Amino acid sequence: MGTVEETLKCPVCQDFFTDPVTLPCRHDFCLTCIQAVWETDGSDVGPFFCPECQIFLQSDLTLEVNTSLQAKVKDFTTNRPSTAELQTATPSRESSSTVLCDHCIETSSVAIRTCLTCDASLCQAHALLHQQRSALREHTLVEVTGDPLSLKCREHRDELKLFCMEDRVPVCCLCVLVGTHKNHRASQLHDACKDFKSMLETTMNQLLKRRSEAEHAIKDLETLYTQTVKSAADFREKISDKYSRIRVVLDGDERLMMQIIDAEESYMTEWLEAQRGIMETQIKQIDSLRASSKSLLQETNELQFLQQITALNLCDPLDLAPIQEVNKDLCDLEKLRTVERLVDDLSVALSQHFPRMWSNLSCPALDSKSAHPKLEISQDKKQVYWRREPVSDAPSPRPYDSQYSVLAQESFTSGRHYWEVIVQEKPYWLMGVTTGSADKKDSPSQTSSSVSVNNTSWCIYHGDGQYLACHDTQEKQLSVGKRVKKLGILANLQKGELSFYDADTTTLLHSFCMQCTEPLYPMFNPCIDVNGLNKQPLTLFWIKDPWDWHVNEDEVKK
């Protein structure tokens, strides 16, 4: 049925014949359509041509209605389903974006091309006329568009034949000669397309390489994740076997060791998962850029390609940051081996190792009221970040400016107190204790400016691998063999000592002798973030239900 219907439609208007006429070449057209193509009312002299086969016809041609074909059209249109039935059976296929021929007068035909010289859209017949007439052959025909002015210079109404390499926009010749792009470097559209496509191909190769590196990094993270979980399980089993041979008095110590391992596994796996998330995000960004680049490379219209590549800001080669290799040393389970070593030491000489430094492990919570406005505290009050804010015109502070700090909620005046802070690969941080007297006496709005390194604060600062012990105006450089991933701080107020440790190996880094009668507050300074290099948080190391050594020691003595 579809084939029969097509034979009853005019090639020009694409509708059923009205007063059909048959040319000597046996092609049929509506009488008004062929007259519109020839731009005649039937009385003018040719030459005439067939829009289908392009042959020229005699000048004295007389057009007569083909009554037989007209009868077939009438018969077919009478018996075919009504418009309402067709709309019920199938949804309408008419597009609201259909562009009609600007030259068709009586019957509107669908345009297939647009002439930028005429600012008009053309049907098949009129497009052929543009190609046949010598005066129209120099006109520029493009894919049909409802807005031909969008393909022309809005200032000079001329065709966009050039591409300004400085402003990255298509321009006309007058723009380069006398317009706003005068003296700018310009290229032909096809040359610009060629250059940008070559650049995009290079970019895609770079993206592919970065994606491969990110996938490799994820595999390394997955391997480390599996090793961390497996090693934690192995250490947990071995240590449990060792403790089973120790007396009941050590049950509490065994519980402490298990909690340390659980917390170590939890923080390490969380960190690995976070690194995996970063790599996956980079892969998604790479895939998105590759998809955009691939789509652009398939664009055949040079003007649309240049408009799209400009809109997507892909005119310049991407300055991609290299995919960071996974630092496997960050997942070295030193703490678990330290736990096992400590248990072995206990079996040799129990009295030399009690109480544990970890027995005094406390879980301080960060006091958001004492935080500098440029710091951000997590909801669980375990992490402090440098807040992401627009860079102001004011001079940037030093990365270790001590006033950008936050205090713990609780202070202490006596006893032994120990806490750990995870720093991992952070390049800058500063931590210690301070009296914080001004913070508790003044209004909350003044707290941030009063937290600093002075004669009532004792801190360690790390900057790009260098460690400094800071008190008042004095600074002492420390010799640290291996980079600290977790900092342990032990305040022994009975002895007046403040000691800093590598929390994974319990190696002493530095000790202060301090004499202070005011309450001491733990102080945390993540330091400013410069270009995203120091955005990692300081994270407090917590364990569940810390064991009170002193209480259990009294019970054992009883």
Side-chain angles (χ1 to χ4, degrees), residues 10 117 152 169 218 221 251 333 382 425 427 484 497 500 530:
C10 174
T117 308
K152 304 179 71 174
V169 292
I218 286 181
L221 289 171
D251 287 345
L333 302 177
K382 293 169 58 177
E425 72 271 33
V484 176
E497 292 180 349
F500 293 86
V530 180

Side-chain angles (χ1 to χ4, degrees), residues 400-444:
Y400 57 89
D401 197 323
S402 60
Q403 69 174 340
Y404 296 97
S405 303
V406 61
L407 303 182
Q409 288 182 344
E410 298 182 359
S411 64
F412 37 82
T413 57
S414 62
R416 289 164 53 94
H417 306 271
Y418 178 75
W419 61 98
E420 294 181 356
V421 185
I422 301 173
V423 296
Q424 285 291 28
E425 72 271 33
K426 265 186 77 66
Y428 299 98
W429 49 261
L430 184 145
M431 282 178 285
V433 298
T434 183
T435 58
S437 56
D439 297 336
K440 300 305 172 180
K441 295 178 182 179
D442 297 338
S443 63

Side-chain angles (χ1 to χ4, degrees), residues 76 305 330 546:
F76 181 83
F305 169 80
L330 294 175

Side-chain angles (χ1 to χ4, degrees), residues 49-52 54 123-133:
F49 68 95
C50 174
E52 284 287 280
Q54 306 297 314
C123 63
Q124 183 179 11
H126 286 101
L128 290 173
L129 184 62
H130 261 64
Q131 297 174 359
Q132 293 294 331
R133 295 193 174 183

Side-chain angles (χ1 to χ4, degrees), residues 325-434:
E325 295 183 0
V326 175
N327 187 351
K328 299 181 181 180
D329 289 339
L330 294 175
C331 291
D332 187 8
L333 302 177
E334 296 180 22
K335 194 159 199 169
L336 302 184
R337 285 188 286 273
T338 302
V339 172
E340 183 178 16
R341 174 175 58 80
L342 291 176
V343 175
D344 289 334
D345 292 342
L346 270 178
S347 63
V348 177
L350 294 177
S351 60
Q352 299 179 9
H353 299 277
F354 282 97
R356 304 278 195 211
M357 181 172 62
W358 290 339
S359 300
N360 302 108
L361 184 62
S362 60
C363 303
L366 300 177
D367 183 8
S368 57
K369 294 181 180 180
S370 68
H372 189 277
K374 291 189 177 180
L375 298 183
E376 182 175 349
I377 310 301
S378 62
Q379 292 184 353
D380 58 9
K381 299 181 180 180
K382 293 169 58 177
Q383 292 182 323
V384 54
Y385 300 79
W386 179 262
R387 187 184 300 275
R388 296 180 180 178
E389 291 184 347
V391 179
S392 63
D393 296 333
S396 300
R398 298 179 301 172
Y400 57 89
D401 197 323
S402 60
Q403 69 174 340
Y404 296 97
S405 303
V406 61
L407 303 182
Q409 288 182 344
E410 298 182 359
S411 64
F412 37 82
T413 57
S414 62
R416 289 164 53 94
H417 306 271
Y418 178 75
W419 61 98
E420 294 181 356
V421 185
I422 301 173
V423 296
Q424 285 291 28
E425 72 271 33
K426 265 186 77 66
Y428 299 98
W429 49 261
L430 184 145
M431 282 178 285
V433 298
T434 183

